[in-house]
Structure formats: C-alpha cells, structure tokens
Amino acid sequence: MGRTGLVAAFLAGAAALACAREGLLEPATSGASGRGGAAGAGAVPDPPAPLAPAPVAGDWLMYGFEDPVAVHLEVGSDGRSYDVTGTGCAGGWKSLFDPSNDARRDCGEVHGHGAGLALDFSFHFEGWKTIYTMHVQASRDGGRMAGTLDSEGPDGTYAGDELYGWLRLEDVGIRSSADEWTPPRADLGPLPDDSWRGPAGFAFALQGEAPLGPWVPGQRYLLRASSVGVDSLTLDLGAFWNPDFHWDEATRTLTAGPVPETVPGRPVRLELHVEADSKTVRDVVATTADGTTATLLRASPDP
C-alpha cells in the first residue's frame, strides 16, 4: 500500500474510533417517571444515573517532546471526578509493553486525578531518578489529549508551559513492543528545514486589540516542529501532527487541522501563509473551536 493509502486507512480508522468514544461522554438517561414506572403525585424519582468518566483510559503516545513518552492510563468509575492510575515510560511504547526489568528502568506507576476532560498525573522512573507530571485536556471524542509537562530530577525542577500533544497508540497501529513505527512525512510543501525545528522555531505576534483565548495582543508566541521529518507542530499555537497538514501550492498556504479541541481556547486550525519562492512564513491565521479567528504576524525570535 502506498503512502496515500496508508494515510487514508489511518484517517478512516481514527474516525471510527472517535465515533465509538464519543458515546462514552453522554450520561445514561433515566426514566421520567418515578421508581417502578409510576408517574404522578407521590412518585419517588429515580436517582440520577452515574456519569461515565471522560474517555481517557488506554495507551497514549506523547509528541512534540524530546523523550518518546508513552503511558497506559486506567481511570476510576466514579463519574466526572475520577482517579487515574497505570504506567508511564519515558522510553516509549516498547518499554511500556515490555515487562523485563531492563525495559522498565525508565517506567513508573502513574498516580493522578481527573475531573471531566482535564486530568493531572505523575510517574517516577527510577532509572533516570526523575518525576514527570502531566497536566492535560482530552478531546470530547477521546482521540487526543494536549497539555504541559513538569519535571523534577537530578538537574533540578522544571515547570513547563509549552503545549505537547498525545495520540492513542492504537490509532497509529501500535499494540505491542514488537511493532515498528515511524511518523509519516507531513505534507508541508517547502517548510521542512532546520530553521523550522531549532529551540526557538518561528515566533509570531498577535495582531488587533482583542485577546484570543490565552493570547494577548502584541505578545510573542512560538510554533515549532518536533523532529527530523517534521511530524508535528507544537508549543504555544496548539498541537498538530501529521496527517493534520495540507500544503496548497497555488495559495502558498500550509493548513493544520481542523482537529478536535483539547485545551480550551487553543486553536483547532492554523493557516500559515508562506512568502512566494521562499520558506518564510509571513503570518498565521488561527481559528478556535467556537469559530473565532485572529492573525499573528512573523516576529523576531528574540524577546
């Protein structure tokens, strides 16, 4: 199967999984009549049915970060407020699925709590003597998460504000440590080059007088690809990965998304307009889930 067929198969499978997970968010309905089906005066109403936790249980892969973090999450069954347990591995899914001691040196037990679509969880991997703490939001369909990472280890403590994304391992075809997977190349037109990656990435300043979600007019925001091959865009402007991208040569526009909303107020769609005959992004038009749009102009990467 060619690359086009693989991407089409991936999108079809992800759409089917999203439809299945969407139903997990809807509360069970109880009868309008009183207990025993009797209606009218004196009827005792049925107690409200418990709500299912947000659909976050399962195996996840983090993208946009320097380590190939993978986690297996299990959640309690007590409605919208729930405990989060499981396993987290800084070395990726091969360690997550491999029970050997050597593979598990970079893994640890997950402990955390969730409320609705927001959850916080941590794991300590003894091999690196480090603790990772995740603050994430899931999409309503349960197919994606995005959020920030804090770390505490031998080199000190780091409280991060950069946004990273999460995908379900099953959605990219990973189900065991024997599976091999490389992120597919993205349709980025002229943009995959070293200046796109780097520690600073591209900097943009929000135009106009109105804020957009957490963004403030005039403030600099960063957009950066995560790795060689450019499989994702992360940092301040949202979390996107391939195949969220589409390059239109006629308009010199790279579109990312639309994707399901995760972190409220962050864009679900970006349009990057590239200068003619160059690799310079002139501006970005960002759209949030409620349809609000704003323009960010290219700025100096230095504060």
Side-chain angles (χ1 to χ4, degrees):
M1 183 183 293
R3 182 170 61 184
T4 301
L6 287 172
V7 171
F10 170 85
L11 290 173
L17 286 166
C19 290
R21 296 184 193 118
E22 180 71 23
L24 295 177
L25 276 174
E26 300 302 326
T29 57
S30 58
S33 62
R35 186 173 289 121
V44 179
D46 289 331
L51 297 175
V56 298
D59 301 321
W60 294 88
L61 174 69
M62 186 180 183
Y63 66 86
F65 185 57
E66 59 187 21
D67 297 330
V69 176
V71 298
H72 171 74
L73 299 181
E74 300 174 4
V75 302
S77 58
D78 53 345
R80 288 296 198 219
S81 178
Y82 50 91
D83 292 328
V84 180
T85 59
T87 303
C89 295
W93 78 87
K94 290 186 178 294
S95 296
L96 188 68
F97 292 136
D98 188 342
S100 68
N101 289 333
D102 287 343
R104 288 303 180 115
R105 70 180 184 85
D106 60 354
C107 300
E109 293 184 359
V110 165
H111 300 280
H113 190 76
L117 296 172
L119 58 154
D120 298 322
F121 60 90
S122 300
F123 65 94
H124 174 212
F125 39 105
E126 186 61 35
W128 297 3
K129 301 186 185 304
T130 301
I131 299 174
Y132 278 170
T133 299
M134 313 294 180
H135 312 282
V136 300
Q137 292 267 158
S139 60
R140 281 187 55 83
D141 65 4
R144 301 201 185 199
M145 300 191 300
T148 60
L149 177 150
D150 300 338
S151 66
E152 180 179 351
D155 297 330
T157 299
Y158 170 73
D161 56 4
E162 298 177 353
L163 197 67
Y164 302 111
W166 294 82
L167 297 167
R168 287 185 176 273
L169 288 177
E170 63 190 84
D171 288 352
V172 295
I174 299 173
R175 293 178 173 82
S176 75
S177 61
D179 290 329
E180 297 294 338
W181 178 74
T182 300
R185 290 293 297 247
D187 180 16
L188 299 180
L191 293 180
D193 90 328
D194 290 339
S195 67
W196 179 262
R197 295 188 289 272
F202 290 157
F204 299 89
L206 180 62
Q207 304 301 295
E209 298 180 356
L212 181 71
W215 301 349
V216 178
Q219 180 67 44
R220 295 169 57 259
Y221 297 98
L222 298 177
L223 181 66
R224 182 177 69 197
S226 68
S227 64
V228 174
V230 190
D231 56 87
S232 65
L233 301 181
T234 56
L235 292 187
D236 296 323
L237 300 190
F240 303 87
W241 97 292
N242 189 40
D244 294 337
F245 310 112
H246 173 69
W247 170 253
D248 187 330
E249 179 65 33
T251 62
R252 303 286 294 175
T253 301
L254 173 65
T255 301
V259 299
E261 183 183 41
T262 51
V263 179
R266 298 293 182 123
V268 299
R269 187 173 189 271
L270 299 177
E271 292 182 8
L272 286 71
H273 299 125
V274 181
E275 298 284 5
D277 302 321
S278 77
K279 300 178 181 180
T280 301
V281 178
R282 180 180 69 252
D283 61 68
V284 177
V285 176
T287 304
T288 57
D290 64 1
T292 302
T293 63
T295 298
L296 298 95
L297 295 183
R298 183 73 180 269
S300 168
D302 298 321

Short mmCIF file of all heavy atoms in Angstrom, two decimals, residues 195 197-205 219-223 236 297-303:
data_model
loop_
_atom_site.label_atom_id
_atom_site.label_comp_id
_atom_site.label_asym_id
_atom_site.label_seq_id
_atom_site.Cartn_x
_atom_site.Cartn_y
_atom_site.Cartn_z
N SER A 195 15.62 25.49 10.15
CA SER A 195 15.14 26.68 10.85
C SER A 195 13.75 26.46 11.42
O SER A 195 13.33 27.15 12.35
CB SER A 195 15.12 27.87 9.88
OG SER A 195 14.15 27.69 8.87
N ARG A 197 12.84 23.70 12.92
CA ARG A 197 12.96 22.95 14.17
C ARG A 197 13.64 23.86 15.20
O ARG A 197 13.05 24.75 15.70
CB ARG A 197 13.69 21.65 13.90
CG ARG A 197 12.89 20.74 12.97
CD ARG A 197 13.51 19.36 12.84
NE ARG A 197 14.74 19.39 12.08
CZ ARG A 197 14.81 19.27 10.77
NH1 ARG A 197 13.72 19.17 10.06
NH2 ARG A 197 15.98 19.27 10.16
N GLY A 198 14.83 23.59 15.60
CA GLY A 198 15.54 24.50 16.49
C GLY A 198 14.84 24.80 17.80
O GLY A 198 13.68 24.52 17.98
N PRO A 199 15.55 25.38 18.77
CA PRO A 199 14.94 25.68 20.08
C PRO A 199 13.92 26.80 20.03
O PRO A 199 13.02 26.87 20.87
CB PRO A 199 16.14 26.07 20.95
CG PRO A 199 17.17 26.57 19.97
CD PRO A 199 16.97 25.74 18.73
N ALA A 200 14.03 27.71 19.07
CA ALA A 200 13.12 28.86 19.04
C ALA A 200 11.96 28.66 18.09
O ALA A 200 10.86 29.13 18.32
CB ALA A 200 13.88 30.12 18.66
N GLY A 201 12.20 27.93 16.98
CA GLY A 201 11.15 27.76 16.00
C GLY A 201 10.79 29.09 15.36
O GLY A 201 11.63 29.96 15.16
N PHE A 202 9.54 29.27 15.02
CA PHE A 202 9.04 30.52 14.46
C PHE A 202 8.31 31.30 15.55
O PHE A 202 7.56 30.72 16.34
CB PHE A 202 8.06 30.24 13.32
CG PHE A 202 8.70 29.68 12.08
CD1 PHE A 202 7.93 28.95 11.19
CD2 PHE A 202 10.03 29.88 11.80
CE1 PHE A 202 8.50 28.43 10.03
CE2 PHE A 202 10.60 29.37 10.65
CZ PHE A 202 9.84 28.63 9.77
N ALA A 203 8.51 32.61 15.59
CA ALA A 203 7.83 33.47 16.56
C ALA A 203 6.82 34.35 15.84
O ALA A 203 7.07 34.84 14.74
CB ALA A 203 8.84 34.33 17.31
N PHE A 204 5.66 34.55 16.48
CA PHE A 204 4.59 35.35 15.89
C PHE A 204 3.98 36.24 16.97
O PHE A 204 3.98 35.90 18.15
CB PHE A 204 3.49 34.46 15.31
CG PHE A 204 3.97 33.56 14.21
CD1 PHE A 204 4.48 32.31 14.49
CD2 PHE A 204 3.95 33.98 12.89
CE1 PHE A 204 4.94 31.48 13.48
CE2 PHE A 204 4.41 33.17 11.87
CZ PHE A 204 4.91 31.91 12.17
N ALA A 205 3.47 37.40 16.56
CA ALA A 205 2.83 38.33 17.48
C ALA A 205 1.36 38.49 17.10
O ALA A 205 1.03 38.72 15.93
CB ALA A 205 3.53 39.69 17.45
N GLN A 219 1.91 40.13 22.21
CA GLN A 219 2.80 39.15 22.84
C GLN A 219 3.35 38.19 21.79
O GLN A 219 2.68 37.86 20.83
CB GLN A 219 2.03 38.37 23.92
CG GLN A 219 2.85 37.32 24.65
CD GLN A 219 3.93 37.94 25.50
OE1 GLN A 219 3.68 38.91 26.21
NE2 GLN A 219 5.12 37.38 25.45
N ARG A 220 4.59 37.72 21.97
CA ARG A 220 5.20 36.76 21.05
C ARG A 220 4.78 35.34 21.42
O ARG A 220 4.74 34.97 22.58
CB ARG A 220 6.73 36.84 21.12
CG ARG A 220 7.31 38.13 20.64
CD ARG A 220 8.78 38.22 21.00
NE ARG A 220 9.56 37.11 20.47
CZ ARG A 220 9.96 36.05 21.16
NH1 ARG A 220 9.64 35.94 22.44
NH2 ARG A 220 10.69 35.11 20.60
N TYR A 221 4.50 34.54 20.39
CA TYR A 221 4.16 33.13 20.59
C TYR A 221 4.95 32.29 19.61
O TYR A 221 5.28 32.74 18.51
CB TYR A 221 2.65 32.91 20.43
CG TYR A 221 1.86 33.68 21.46
CD1 TYR A 221 1.31 34.91 21.15
CD2 TYR A 221 1.73 33.19 22.76
CE1 TYR A 221 0.61 35.63 22.11
CE2 TYR A 221 1.04 33.91 23.72
CZ TYR A 221 0.49 35.12 23.39
OH TYR A 221 -0.19 35.85 24.34
N LEU A 222 5.25 31.05 20.01
CA LEU A 222 6.16 30.21 19.25
C LEU A 222 5.45 29.02 18.62
O LEU A 222 4.50 28.47 19.18
CB LEU A 222 7.29 29.69 20.14
CG LEU A 222 8.21 30.75 20.76
CD1 LEU A 222 9.22 30.08 21.68
CD2 LEU A 222 8.91 31.56 19.69
N LEU A 223 5.95 28.64 17.47
CA LEU A 223 5.48 27.46 16.75
C LEU A 223 6.72 26.69 16.34
O LEU A 223 7.64 27.25 15.75
CB LEU A 223 4.67 27.88 15.53
CG LEU A 223 4.07 26.79 14.65
CD1 LEU A 223 3.00 26.02 15.43
CD2 LEU A 223 3.46 27.41 13.40
N ASP A 236 3.23 27.09 21.59
CA ASP A 236 2.15 27.97 22.03
C ASP A 236 0.90 27.92 21.15
O ASP A 236 -0.20 28.20 21.63
CB ASP A 236 2.65 29.42 22.07
CG ASP A 236 3.76 29.63 23.09
OD1 ASP A 236 3.68 29.00 24.16
OD2 ASP A 236 4.68 30.40 22.83
N LEU A 297 1.44 37.93 13.10
CA LEU A 297 2.47 38.26 12.14
C LEU A 297 3.82 37.76 12.61
O LEU A 297 4.10 37.72 13.81
CB LEU A 297 2.53 39.78 11.92
CG LEU A 297 1.31 40.44 11.28
CD1 LEU A 297 1.56 41.93 11.08
CD2 LEU A 297 0.94 39.76 9.95
N ARG A 298 4.68 37.41 11.65
CA ARG A 298 6.02 36.91 11.95
C ARG A 298 6.77 37.96 12.77
O ARG A 298 6.73 39.17 12.46
CB ARG A 298 6.77 36.61 10.66
CG ARG A 298 8.16 36.03 10.84
CD ARG A 298 8.09 34.57 11.30
NE ARG A 298 9.43 34.01 11.47
CZ ARG A 298 10.09 33.38 10.50
NH1 ARG A 298 9.53 33.23 9.31
NH2 ARG A 298 11.27 32.89 10.74
N ALA A 299 7.45 37.52 13.83
CA ALA A 299 8.18 38.43 14.71
C ALA A 299 9.59 37.89 14.93
O ALA A 299 9.92 36.76 14.57
CB ALA A 299 7.45 38.55 16.05
N SER A 300 10.43 38.70 15.55
CA SER A 300 11.77 38.27 15.90
C SER A 300 11.70 37.14 16.91
O SER A 300 10.89 37.17 17.83
CB SER A 300 12.56 39.44 16.49
OG SER A 300 13.76 38.97 17.07
N PRO A 301 12.56 36.10 16.77
CA PRO A 301 12.54 35.00 17.75
C PRO A 301 13.08 35.41 19.11
O PRO A 301 12.88 34.69 20.09
CB PRO A 301 13.42 33.94 17.10
CG PRO A 301 14.34 34.70 16.20
CD PRO A 301 13.52 35.86 15.69
N ASP A 302 13.75 36.57 19.19
CA ASP A 302 14.31 37.01 20.47
C ASP A 302 13.29 37.86 21.21
O ASP A 302 12.53 38.62 20.59
CB ASP A 302 15.57 37.84 20.24
CG ASP A 302 16.65 37.04 19.56
OD1 ASP A 302 16.81 35.85 19.90
OD2 ASP A 302 17.33 37.59 18.66
N PRO A 303 13.22 37.75 22.56
CA PRO A 303 12.27 38.55 23.34
C PRO A 303 12.45 40.03 23.10
O PRO A 303 13.54 40.49 22.83
CB PRO A 303 12.61 38.16 24.79
CG PRO A 303 13.30 36.85 24.69
CD PRO A 303 14.06 36.86 23.40
#
